[in-house]
């Protein structure tokens, strides 16, 4: 084969016969026998022998010198003492904060916020007693995290009631707030309108926790259960409200504070100030703790786990795997690290070429393999007769197949490179959010599973149980990894690169079979006899919500949707809505997307808004996008569809599976959108584009199996639609959908719309995702 040729495995069976058991058996045998592990481009597949001309003993760039003031705190005691099996050091005196983990999606962020203020914190399981914490010594306060549970569920987790009477200050967050209220004699009830997103609340700034803040603050609220004025615990005062809901209570004499919102995340504008008030004004901390050097801690962990053996690391070219590879090389030396890049067939346009170039900066030889055919034809457990990836339309199954296939392909590559499991460990750039969202016990034993991550599948967990996985970044968040990458001296283009999921574009293609989609809402609005389909009634209700100035409705459900919307809007947005003279069309899409609502996973429908009004009324559209998921619990994502107003409901889907021509369609759309975002090429519309790639932390481009302009009753369509998801965040656990004119120029979005429709065949519409996280995750699947 020539230097530019890639040997690919053949699949001989015809499409119409590929599901027959005999054909699937042939296919399975062929995939296992065809040596796809020899599918390597000689120009990029490097020899790993120590005397290879490509091998190098040159270490990665040296780390930056530590600042003089970054000195380790002298901890009392020279070893860790286990008290009732809690791996926390027992000391006579000190300044520590105990965090009880109830499974919040943001639980680990609480730990980060405390340590950022130079106060030591330790995470504990929720069944830790007050006496255990006191016996460990040095703990000055307790913070109780949020969680996905309802306090009144049969299996609802609880805590030792003495937590509130042990004399330590307590801050209860979300679920912790509700427990504080309930266990102190109050009550909690389920409300019809849930809160999942950034909201404005009114606070009492005389309360110490809120000293120095404004009377109206923007916070992240995520809950379905609520506390009202009449259900507040005795001897507690209300210190924050969101409409008629209680958003915060306190007993300042006992130093007990509870907030329904999440002060630890970026969407709570002044959350850091609240932690500062709690730690220094309420608890009385000094802030003299400096967390040990994170880089050295990672290196120590790698050396401890690996010993004198070697490591195989799978690199995607993203910042996570790049930093992981750099740490491995620093800890072990480049001769003990084997880096491989697997093209699974779902990379972005020319992505694998970019991976090789970027990893050259690490002075590590990269072994590149093409396994696209294997991934598409593989099933979850590699068993005969099971569904293959290119036949699958279930998003969770897609992730499991891809994750497990990565591990099986890794084994093939190890055989090809003549390396054994006995002498090698597997290294991954797994981050804290990955483990939290897939409910791994490494991060939180009580977090609700949001989605399965390819690096946290059952096969990966089995390898962990065998002690064969090295994950030095598992306690890091994305922004911390970027800082670590800078300390390692990695190039800016790697450190600031937009995240790209390990499964690639496979999870940005929403697949659909020939089955007609069925709606399954469970809303109060449908507990009575209705006329028309659930989809039609839901769209009427949402239309009433997004056109509140159109008059009063006779049907009380429509009028309630209208009035609830006005009540849920901020005062500024309510004024705009009451003066609205144009029509906004709302259509429920017959597809589901993953989200996180009330710290739990939601798998709900998306809504597309459209209007003929120009200029596009972005402020009102984004205001409605934040309200709709609160009023309609079956909705977790809201988009704007560019172009003329959509007239008809979407009743059918375009058959869409993970086959090459579908992947190519998304690759082209993603490439165009990226070029516009970074202003790499002149605009088709003639406008001067700004490079705003540094303002947007991530922009997934998603392919939907929907033809919006398909005539009613028409036969199957070949058209798809494209969703743009520009996202602004610093912690990558929560974030803001980029608002045109504020975070991203409207001209850039209009250029993306025009260029994608003009240059990619078979595109019906381009949409802009207007959903914050929560309630929508960054990715759609």
């Amino acid at each position: 084969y020539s230097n530019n040729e890639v040997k690919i495995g053949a699949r001989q069976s015809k499409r119409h016969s590929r599901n027959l058991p005999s054909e699937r058996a042939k296919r399975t045998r062929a995939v296992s026998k065809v040596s796809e592990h020899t599918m390597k481009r000689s120009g990029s597949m490097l020899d790993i022998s120590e005397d290879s001309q490509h091998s190098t003993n040159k270490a990665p760039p040296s780390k930056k010198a530590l600042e003089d003031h970054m000195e380790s705190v002298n901890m009392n005691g020279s070893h860790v003492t286990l008290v009732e099996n809690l791996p926390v050091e027992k000391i006579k005196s000190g300044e520590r904060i105990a965090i009880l983990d109830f499974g919040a999606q943001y639980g680990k962020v609480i730990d980060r916020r405390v340590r950022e203020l130079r106060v030591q914190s330790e995470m504990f399981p929720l069944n830790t007693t007050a006496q255990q914490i006191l016996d460990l010594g040095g703990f000055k306060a307790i913070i109780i995290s949020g969680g996905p549970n309802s306090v009144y569920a049969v299996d609802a987790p609880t805590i030792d009631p003495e937590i509130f009477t042990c004399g330590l200050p307590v801050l209860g967050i979300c679920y912790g707030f509700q427990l504080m209220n309930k266990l102190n004699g109050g009550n909690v009830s389920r409300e019809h309108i849930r809160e999942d997103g950034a909201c404005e609340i009114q606070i009492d700034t005389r309360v110490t926790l809120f000293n120095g803040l404004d009377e109206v603050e923007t916070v992240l609220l995520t809950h379905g259960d609520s506390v009202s004025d009449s259900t507040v615990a005795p001897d507690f005062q209300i210190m924050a409200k969101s409409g008629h809901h209680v958003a915060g209570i306190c007993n300042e004499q006992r130093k007990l504070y509870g907030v329904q919102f999440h002060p630890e995340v970026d969407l709570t504008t002044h959350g850091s100030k609240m932690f500062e008030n709690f730690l220094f004004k309420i608890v009385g901390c000094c802030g003299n703790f400096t967390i040990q050097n994170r880089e050295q801690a990672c290196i120590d962990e790698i050396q401890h786990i690996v010993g004198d053996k070697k490591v195989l690391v799978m690199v995607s070219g993203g910042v996570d795997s790049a930093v992981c590879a750099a740490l491995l090389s620093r800890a072990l030396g480049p001769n003990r690290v084997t880096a491989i890049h697997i093209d699974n067939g779902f990379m972005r346009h020319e992505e694998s070429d970019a991976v090789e170039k970027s990893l050259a900066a690490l002075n590590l030889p990269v072994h590149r393999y093409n396994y696209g055919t294997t991934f598409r034809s593989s099933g979850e457990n590699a068993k005969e007769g099971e569904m293959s990836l290119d036949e699958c339309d279930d998003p969770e199954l897609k992730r499991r197949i891809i994750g497990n296939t990565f591990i099986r392909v890794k084994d093939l590559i190890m055989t090809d490179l003549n390396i054994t499991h006995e002498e090698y460990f597997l290294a991954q750039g797994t981050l804290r959010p990955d483990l939290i969202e897939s409910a791994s016990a490494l991060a939180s034993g009580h977090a609700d599973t949001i989605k399965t991550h390819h690096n946290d599948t059952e096969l990966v967990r089995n390898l962990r149980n065998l002690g064969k996985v090295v994950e030095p970044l598992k306690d890091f968040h994305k922004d911390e990894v970027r800082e670590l990458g800078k300390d390692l001296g990695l190039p800016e283009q790697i450190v600031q690169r937009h995240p790209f999921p390990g499964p690639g574009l496979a999870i940005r293609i929403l697949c659909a079979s020939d089955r007609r989609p069925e709606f399954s809402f469970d809303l109060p609005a449908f507990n009575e006899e209705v006329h028309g389909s659930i989809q039609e009634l839901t769209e009427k209700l949402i239309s009433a919500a997004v056109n509140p100035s159109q008059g009063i409705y006779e049907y009380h459900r429509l009028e309630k949707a209208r009035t609830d919307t006005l009540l849920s809007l901020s005062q500024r947005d309510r004024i705009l809505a009451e003066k609205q003279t144009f029509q906004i069309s709302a259509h429920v899409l017959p597809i589901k997307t993953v989200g996180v609502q009330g710290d739990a996973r939601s798998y709900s429908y998306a809504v597309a808004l459209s209007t003929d009004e120009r200029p596009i009324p972005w402020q009102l559209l984004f205001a409605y996008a934040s309200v709709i998921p609160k009023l309609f619990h079956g909705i977790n994502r809201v988009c704007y569809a560019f172009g003329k107003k959509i007239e008809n409901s979407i009743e059918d889907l375009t058959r869409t599976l993970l086959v090459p021509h579908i992947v190519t369609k998304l690759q082209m759309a993603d490439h165009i959108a990226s070029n516009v975002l970074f202003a790499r090429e002149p605009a088709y519309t003639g406008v001067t584009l700004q490079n705003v790639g540094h303002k947007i932390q991530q922009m997934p481009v998603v392919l939907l199996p929907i033809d919006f302009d398909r005539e009613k009753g028409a036969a199957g369509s070949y058209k798809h639609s494209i969703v743009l998801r520009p996202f602004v965040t610093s912690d990558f656990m929560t974030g803001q959908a980029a608002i045109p004119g504020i975070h991203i120029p409207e001209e850039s979005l209009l250029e993306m719309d025009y260029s994608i429709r003009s240059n990619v065949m078979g595109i019906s519409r381009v949409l802009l995702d207007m959903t914050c996280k929560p309630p929508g995750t960054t990715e759609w699947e």
Side-chain angles (χ1 to χ4, degrees), residues 612-626:
D612 291 328
E613 179 70 6
R614 298 295 181 271
I616 301 171
W618 292 117
Q619 183 175 331
L620 259 183
L621 290 169
F622 272 81
Y624 291 141
S626 70

Side-chain angles (χ1 to χ4, degrees), residues 386-422:
E386 67 180 352
M387 179 178 291
S388 64
L389 184 61
D390 60 2
E391 299 167 328
C392 175
D393 62 359
D394 179 80
E396 280 297 297
L397 181 56
K398 285 197 302 184
R399 282 181 174 271
R400 294 198 300 270
I401 291 174
I402 292 170
N404 288 347
T405 304
F406 265 120
I407 298 301
R408 290 193 288 266
V409 165
K410 179 265 300 179
D411 292 339
L412 291 176
I413 292 173
M414 291 180 70
T415 301
D416 182 58
L417 297 176
N418 295 317
I419 56 181
T420 65
H421 288 282
E422 288 71 25

